Amino acid sequence: MSGGFNNMLHFVGVVEDNHDRTNAGRVRVRAFGIHPPRVSSDIEDSVPTQDLPWATVLDGTYGVSPVIPSIGDWVFGFFVDGREAQQPMIIGRLPGIHMNLPGGAGEPGEDAYLPLESVHNYGKPELHRYQGGEDLDKGQTLIQRASQESDIPQALSEETFDEPPVAMPENNFNNRVFASKSGDNFLVMGDGDESESSDYILMSHSSGSVFQIDPNGTVFIKSFGDQYNTTDGVKSTYVTGSSHTNIQEDWTIKVETGSGKVYINGDLDIECENFNVTARANMNLHAGVKTNMSCSGLSILAHSDDINMVSDGSIKMNTGTDETKGGFYVQSLFGDCHIDTYKMNLFSETYTKISAKGTPAESEQLLPYADAGHHGIEINSPDIVHLDAGKNISLNANKLAMNSASHTTINAGGRADMVAGATANIKAGGNANVTGAQVHLNDGNAEAASGNYSDSEGARGEQKDLKDAQVSVTEVATVLSPTEIPPSRAPRDPVVERQPTFITSTMATGDD
């Protein structure tokens, strides 16, 4: 070996090939002064790249991060076999500026050691731009600065915030840079000895996506593409301050198995265009004070069970305005309608109509009494039933019965007429008295007598007089009206709104 280890031959050369198919990380090196330069013309003593011996690259990282020299790199090493120069080993790389023209650029025989594959590195500074501070217009730096967002609206707030700026290349030899061969993918470990602004960590991708920790410890992550986070275990997030999220398009969350819980020690405000909530079982809403709902229309449908409303106080309902003329409608064509109260007052501005078809009831109801077979209209009172009209009271029936266990008085301020199409019978268990200034008993052509036999006011008891009432004495329902609903914060394209499905039926109405 011409001396071997005892007489090693050192060299400086340029890497021409690093595609070692044995995956051993070897390179082919043209050693200056040993191998003639690569030229375009075929001269007798030229050595093609494929004839250069493979050089072993020493790895001082012990396998942690081995680096294979790139084509065009100048390296320093030695030949283990001495002057035979067939077993080269590389100790390190010589950083510097590539000043040699590529092979074939000059006349035959002229030195030219820069391979064509690395011609783009001709005259290029060896230090990365985050160490030398040069080439600010190259790479993703301009993209990162040009795409810096500012005045971003804070979620549900009038405040805004700006993205932190990405660190710019600077002349700082204390920076540690781990870069790809092209230098566009790199990790910068800044050192704050010279300047506090240099104390940062930056990991940057050629697309512009960046991860940065600035001198204040602020962490900034920006992706110019999609971002995915996957955790096979538990993910816990703890924020001692506030948390804000601003999303330009859609936001979804799905819990595959388990439950979801939200606890807020304060107020919860939700603002949206349409709010849809679906519960496959029960939905419970609890409020410690009041539950207020306000909308232009409200629909409640229970398709298989009851609607229950219970109040320790009063239940108040108020409908309609002078413009809408809205009313109050209750329909129960296949069931019963029960209203049980301590007192009841019915008042209407125009008329009150009570109608019944008279169809016998088919019911198993036992309370307040068994009503199977009942039909018509019944008004029952153990004390007083009073009918008072400012003008007319009409009783029209196929048969009319008036029965009083004690005293019956018919009083007319003008005339009192009793007409029977057939027979008129007046019968008294005791005396029958007919009193008047004149009493006529004839063939039916004379007018019947009139008189003032008794005071009918005695039969009314102490019922409260509503004849002169202008409004109902029932307490009017009131609700809490919210403030005006603000418009949407973002313009929306006109869309066809989904109309909810209702179960409707025609309400029975009557004519005057």
Side-chain angles (χ1 to χ4, degrees), residues 52-128:
L52 295 173
W54 287 103
T56 301
V57 180
L58 297 182
D59 180 14
T61 67
Y62 299 95
V64 176
S65 57
V67 178
I68 302 175
S70 300
I71 296 176
D73 282 348
W74 289 10
V75 295
F76 173 76
F78 59 89
F79 289 99
V80 175
D81 54 353
R83 293 189 176 275
E84 292 186 7
Q86 297 300 315
Q87 299 183 24
M89 298 188 71
I90 295 175
I91 300 176
R93 186 174 67 92
L94 298 177
I97 300 177
H98 301 281
M99 299 300 295
N100 285 275
L101 294 175
E107 295 296 329
E110 293 182 351
D111 290 347
Y113 292 104
L114 186 63
L116 291 174
E117 294 87 343
S118 61
V119 67
H120 61 280
N121 290 324
Y122 178 71
K124 178 182 178 181
E126 187 65 30
L127 292 180
H128 194 271

Side-chain angles (χ1 to χ4, degrees), residues 293 297-303 306-307 309 502-503:
M293 293 190 299
L298 179 63
S299 300
I300 300 176
L301 170 65
H303 57 79
D306 299 334
I307 295 179
M309 299 177 64
F502 298 100
I503 297 179

Side-chain angles (χ1 to χ4, degrees), residues 20 45 67 74 77 82 84 87 111 119 216 223 235 237 240 246 272 275 280 295 338 346 348-349 430 449 462 482 492:
D20 182 10
D45 59 348
V67 178
W74 289 10
E84 292 186 7
Q87 299 183 24
D111 290 347
V119 67
N216 297 322
S223 172
K235 181 180 179 180
T237 302
T240 58
N246 192 315
C272 62
F275 185 60
R280 294 181 179 84
C295 57
H338 296 274
L346 298 177
S348 62
E349 290 284 353
E462 297 181 356
R492 295 174 60 90

Side-chain angles (χ1 to χ4, degrees), residues 435-506:
T435 304
Q438 293 182 352
V439 177
H440 301 276
L441 298 176
N442 53 26
D443 57 359
N445 293 325
E447 294 182 352
S450 62
N452 186 9
Y453 180 76
S454 176
D455 183 10
S456 62
E457 292 294 323
R460 298 181 61 230
E462 297 181 356
Q463 183 76 1
K464 185 174 182 180
D465 191 357
L466 295 177
K467 290 187 294 182
D468 297 330
Q470 298 299 318
V471 295
S472 174
V473 297
T474 303
E475 185 176 0
V476 178
T478 58
V479 296
L480 175 62
S481 298
T483 58
E484 182 180 357
I485 299 177
S488 176
R489 297 178 182 269
R492 295 174 60 90
D493 296 332
V495 296
V496 179
E497 295 184 356
R498 294 185 302 170
Q499 299 296 330
T501 302
F502 298 100
I503 297 179
T504 59
S505 59
T506 303

